[in-house]
């Protein structure tokens, strides 16, 4: 057995062993979160809606009619009231209609297992993306001889599983871990220079939950045409794949209902947009402006554009790979609050950006910055709406958005780190211009070639980079 392990060890690089260890550790942490759920919990409230939609799709019924889902839930004697409507594109319900062949309890166990694997893969892809973005620009392969995955990084992954409240996503049977794995996969592929597959991966994330498509906007500004072509082809493929399952009428119904599912709209079977648990921008404005849907929609769209525009402007049209990862934190926060309905379990989507920010802060010994990140991330997923219920008197509307305020503070911190990254790059002696030799540097990618003088000035030394952090990884192949 020892000889077999040794032989396998010689065939697997330190880097790949590191990724395997990240996956095993992350999936293990997620499994500990979900074990009692699988063993004891009845069908979760959100998974109940997904399962009912899968049953409706398998029977050729309207998955967007909440009364259909309610009747299926009563027929199958599923727990929880009420039954929430299905709001995602048809691809998800129809391609997962095979879940309807399983009993509800078995289907949830399979679903929870998929979520565990998804979190493990998402953590692994996030590490790949960070290593690709922070690798030694001199192409020094000796760095690969150091520890493949530093212990502090695994500690951050375990911390984020708790701080970003992975358990609540698993306990509610949410789709967030599945969407997250495709977001992180798109980042890993993009930083590895594989634009078309990156676009395909992001297409799956956007095809399940629409808002991840915001991450493609930097590709438009940076003229990442292959990534955009992959995104377009992927979205088209999702439609084609779902058609044999009978999804054609559902796609037409989804497009017809889409304007009525936007900011400030009252969706049948769902909470009012101004309900306290909804801490999206639309929820915030709904609590301020009441039932004025037009005002809510206008204020939400303007604020989203301001947040998005500020991040893109500070990131620059041709940012370096490390600055692209810095830009990811404000972009992902914008993606979370841009949804018409945002709840505590949606904060999980900032995982890859938070992991990078913590890793860089630890590597450069920025203790105050790391402490601020830890506090803000931990606060962002506290269920403050539950805390509000402890007060006997009604609270003013402005007090009912603490989660949103914390997310905006994380956005501001991300913008500060992005500004510092840009300032340090411009101040570096011999820094390379954004475009050189007709090859523009590109965010979420490898960037333009770096001259020897610039690489010596910008890149950290091997000795300072090796102990921990991801900058010591081997160069991409």
């Amino acid at each position: 057995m020892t000889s077999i392990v040794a032989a396998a060890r010689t065939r697997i690089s330190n880097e790949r062993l590191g990724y395997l260890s990240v996956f095993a550790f992350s999936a293990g942490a997620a499994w500990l979160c979900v074990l009692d759920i699988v063993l004891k919990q009845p069908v979760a409230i959100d998974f109940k809606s997904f399962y009912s939609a899968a049953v409706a799709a398998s029977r050729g019924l309207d998955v967007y009619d909440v009364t259909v889902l309610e009747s299926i839930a009563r027929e199958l004697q599923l727990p929880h009231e009420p039954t929430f409507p299905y709001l995602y594109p048809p691809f998800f319900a129809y391609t997962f209609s095979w879940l309807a062949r399983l009993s509800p309890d078995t289907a949830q166990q399979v679903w929870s297992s998929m979520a565990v694997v998804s979190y493990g893969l998402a953590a692994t892809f996030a590490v790949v993306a960070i290593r690709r973005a922070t690798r030694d620009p001199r192409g020094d392969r000796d760095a690969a001889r150091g520890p493949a995955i530093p212990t502090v990084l695994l500690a951050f992954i375990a911390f984020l599983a708790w701080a970003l409240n992975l358990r609540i996503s698993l306990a509610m049977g949410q789709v967030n871990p599945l969407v997250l794995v495709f977001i992180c996969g798109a980042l890993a592929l993009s930083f590895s220079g594989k634009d078309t597959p990156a676009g395909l991966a992001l297409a799956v994330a956007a095809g399940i939950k629409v808002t991840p498509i915001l991450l493609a906007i930097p590709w438009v500004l940076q003229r990442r045409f292959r990534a955009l072509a992959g995104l377009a082809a992927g979205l088209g493929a999702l439609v084609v794949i779902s058609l044999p399952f009978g999804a054609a009428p559902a796609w037409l119904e989804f497009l017809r209902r889409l304007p009525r599912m936007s900011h400030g709209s009252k969706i049948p079977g769902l909470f009012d947009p101004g309900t306290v648990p909804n801490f999206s921008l639309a929820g915030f404005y709904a609590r301020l402006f009441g039932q004025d849907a037009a005002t809510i929609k206008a204020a939400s769209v303007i604020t989203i554009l301001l947040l998005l525009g500020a991040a893109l402007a500070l990131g620059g049209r041709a940012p370096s790979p490390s600055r692209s990862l810095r830009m990811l934190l404000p972009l992902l926060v914008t993606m979370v609050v841009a949804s018409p309905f945002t709840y505590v379990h949606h904060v999980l989507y900032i995982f890859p950006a938070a992991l990078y920010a913590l890793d860089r802060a630890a590597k450069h010994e920025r203790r105050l910055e790391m402490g601020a990140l830890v506090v803000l991330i931990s606060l962002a997923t506290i269920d403050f709406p539950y805390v509000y219920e402890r007060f006997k008197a009604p609270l003013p509307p402005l007090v009912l958005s603490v989660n949103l305020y914390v997310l905006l503070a994380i956005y501001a911190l991300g913008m500060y780190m992005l500004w510092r990254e840009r300032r340090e790059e411009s101040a570096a002696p011999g820094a390379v211009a954004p475009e050189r030799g007709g090859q523009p540097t590109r965010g979420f990618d490898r960037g333009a070639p770096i001259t020897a003088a610039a690489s010596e000035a910008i890149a950290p030394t091997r000795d300072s980079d090796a102990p921990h952090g991801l900058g010591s990884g081997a160069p991409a192949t």
Side-chain angles (χ1 to χ4, degrees), residues 159-160 163-164 350 354 358 372-381 410:
F159 165 74
L160 289 173
L164 293 175
I350 71 171
L358 286 172
L373 281 166
V374 167
V375 170
L376 289 174
I377 292 169
S378 302
L379 286 174
T381 48
I410 294 175

Side-chain angles (χ1 to χ4, degrees), residues 31 56 70 81 88 91 131 155 174 183 188 195 208 228 231 233 235 260 267 285 323 326 353 413 419 467 469:
W31 181 249
E70 289 173 344
E81 290 292 342
Y88 300 102
F91 166 77
R131 289 183 72 110
Q174 257 293 331
I183 291 176
D195 276 10
I208 298 175
L228 294 171
L231 175 63
L235 292 174
R260 291 181 288 168
I267 301 174
Y285 288 123
R323 203 193 315 159
R326 291 292 193 202
L413 182 57
W419 169 80

Side-chain angles (χ1 to χ4, degrees), residues 376-449:
L376 289 174
I377 292 169
S378 302
L379 286 174
T381 48
I382 291 178
D383 192 359
F384 281 107
Y386 176 79
V387 176
Y388 304 149
E389 294 177 358
R390 305 301 97 189
F391 291 88
K392 295 181 179 179
L395 295 174
L398 289 176
V399 181
L400 301 177
S401 301
V402 175
N403 292 91
L404 175 63
Y405 302 151
V406 175
L407 282 172
L408 293 178
I410 294 175
Y411 174 93
L413 182 57
M415 292 289 283
Y416 165 75
M417 293 187 293
L418 182 58
W419 169 80
R420 184 182 60 207
E421 186 86 27
R422 187 167 184 173
R423 184 191 62 180
E424 290 174 352
E425 284 182 359
S426 61
V432 186
E435 296 190 8
R436 189 171 184 85
Q439 178 71 23
T441 59
R442 298 181 296 178
F444 299 166
D445 202 354
R446 295 170 299 189

Side-chain angles (χ1 to χ4, degrees), residues 223-425:
R223 300 180 182 178
R224 302 278 298 278
F225 297 123
R226 289 185 179 180
L228 294 171
L231 175 63
L235 292 174
L238 297 185
V239 176
V240 173
I241 290 171
S242 64
L243 293 181
F245 296 94
W251 279 107
L252 296 176
E253 183 64 17
F254 174 74
L255 294 175
R256 187 181 70 85
R257 290 176 179 250
L258 196 58
R260 291 181 288 168
M261 295 191 291
S262 63
H263 304 82
S265 300
K266 180 69 174 70
I267 301 174
L270 199 62
F271 300 121
D272 185 85
T275 188
V276 174
N278 176 23
F279 53 84
S280 69
L281 289 169
F284 171 76
Y285 288 123
R287 288 188 286 276
L288 286 183
F289 303 131
Q291 302 298 319
D292 190 349
T295 303
I296 295 169
K297 192 185 302 291
S300 300
V301 171
I302 291 172
T303 307
I304 292 167
L305 291 176
L306 289 174
L307 294 174
L308 188 61
L312 295 174
L314 193 57
R317 182 175 172 181
S320 66
S322 60
R323 203 193 315 159
S324 295
L325 270 180
R326 291 292 193 202
M327 186 166 61
L328 196 60
L329 189 56
L331 280 180
L332 286 175
V333 170
T334 302
M335 187 194 90
V336 170
V337 300
S339 175
F341 290 87
T342 300
Y343 304 110
V344 170
H345 50 78
H346 292 147
V347 184
L348 180 67
Y349 289 123
I350 71 171
F351 169 77
L355 182 62
Y356 173 72
L358 286 172
D359 178 72
R360 295 293 95 189
K363 178 186 179 299
H364 296 291
E365 297 184 349
R366 296 181 175 126
R367 295 182 177 86
L368 182 61
E369 183 176 303
M370 187 165 59
L373 281 166
V374 167
V375 170
L376 289 174
I377 292 169
S378 302
L379 286 174
T381 48
I382 291 178
D383 192 359
F384 281 107
Y386 176 79
V387 176
Y388 304 149
E389 294 177 358
R390 305 301 97 189
F391 291 88
K392 295 181 179 179
L395 295 174
L398 289 176
V399 181
L400 301 177
S401 301
V402 175
N403 292 91
L404 175 63
Y405 302 151
V406 175
L407 282 172
L408 293 178
I410 294 175
Y411 174 93
L413 182 57
M415 292 289 283
Y416 165 75
M417 293 187 293
L418 182 58
W419 169 80
R420 184 182 60 207
E421 186 86 27
R422 187 167 184 173
R423 184 191 62 180
E424 290 174 352
E425 284 182 359

Side-chain angles (χ1 to χ4, degrees), residues 198-199 202-203 206 211-224 227-228 231-232 235 308 312 331 444:
L202 187 61
T211 49
I213 204 167
L214 290 178
L215 299 181
I217 295 179
W219 291 346
V220 176
L221 300 180
Q222 297 154 17
R223 300 180 182 178
R224 302 278 298 278
L228 294 171
L231 175 63
L235 292 174
L308 188 61
L312 295 174
L331 280 180
F444 299 166

Side-chain angles (χ1 to χ4, degrees), residues 1 17 23 49 78 83 148 159 298 322 349-350 357 382 422 464 467:
M1 177 61 72
L17 279 177
F23 172 78
S49 296
L78 300 179
T83 300
F159 165 74
S322 60
Y349 289 123
I350 71 171
I382 291 178
R422 187 167 184 173
S464 64

